């Protein structure tokens, strides 16, 4: 149990499988893709990076809520995948694959 996904979300930092993004960065103002294309969370299914950036720049409360929803979904699914990799006796392979994608943004 940790407050980090929601704390970061409220401040505009969003987890992705290739690393964290700062949604307030200018490059996201015209990015009409979801936070992550293959993510099934409510935020990614219904909103774009540009809209989230707009909400954060406008200091709208919805911005932090939508970012937090995605961050929590990301962490819960990451832990689910870790748990399954342990059960499959493939944790170290999973860890290497994840970190290679996450750290080489």
């Amino acid at each position: 149990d940790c407050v980090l996904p929601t704390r970061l979300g409220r401040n505009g930092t969003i987890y992705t499988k290739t690393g964290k993004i700062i949604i307030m960065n200018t490059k996201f103002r015209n990015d009409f893709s979801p936070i992550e294309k293959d993510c099934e969370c409510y935020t990614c299914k219904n909103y774009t990076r540009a809209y989230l950036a707009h909400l954060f720049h406008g200091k709208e409360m919805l911005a932090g809520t939508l970012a937090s929803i995605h961050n929590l979904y990301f962490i819960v699914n990451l832990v689910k995948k870790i748990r399954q990799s342990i059960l499959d006796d493939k944790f170290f392979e999973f860890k290497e694959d994840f970190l290679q994608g996450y750290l080489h943004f």
Side-chain angles (χ1 to χ4, degrees):
D1 193 11
C2 180
V3 300
L4 197 57
T6 53
R7 181 178 294 150
L8 289 177
R10 285 191 315 270
N11 292 299
T13 301
I14 302 173
Y15 293 121
T16 72
K17 61 185 169 217
T18 56
K20 291 184 265 183
I21 63 170
I22 310 299
I23 201 68
M24 294 277 286
N25 289 349
T26 305
K27 66 182 177 180
F28 297 115
R29 285 187 175 206
N30 294 309
D31 185 345
F32 295 97
S33 61
I35 295 167
E36 287 196 287
K37 288 179 175 55
D38 59 349
C39 179
E40 294 292 318
C41 81
Y42 175 80
T43 302
C44 288
K45 288 174 117 180
N46 295 288
Y47 300 97
T48 65
R49 290 176 175 197
Y51 186 65
L52 262 65
H54 165 75
L55 291 174
F56 272 103
H57 284 282
K59 301 188 184 333
E60 294 286 341
M61 289 180 58
L62 181 59
T65 302
L66 293 174
S68 294
I69 287 169
H70 172 80
N71 282 351
L72 288 169
Y73 185 91
F74 179 88
I75 292 296
V76 167
N77 279 292
L78 177 60
V79 171
K80 184 193 296 185
K81 291 174 186 173
I82 291 169
R83 196 176 298 121
Q84 188 61 51
S85 74
I86 292 168
L87 292 171
D88 295 341
D89 199 26
K90 294 183 179 190
F91 172 73
F92 293 105
E93 293 94 334
F94 174 82
K95 177 185 135 188
E96 289 302 315
D97 288 345
F98 177 79
L99 289 177
Q100 191 154 28
Y102 192 79
L103 299 175
H104 293 97
F105 183 78

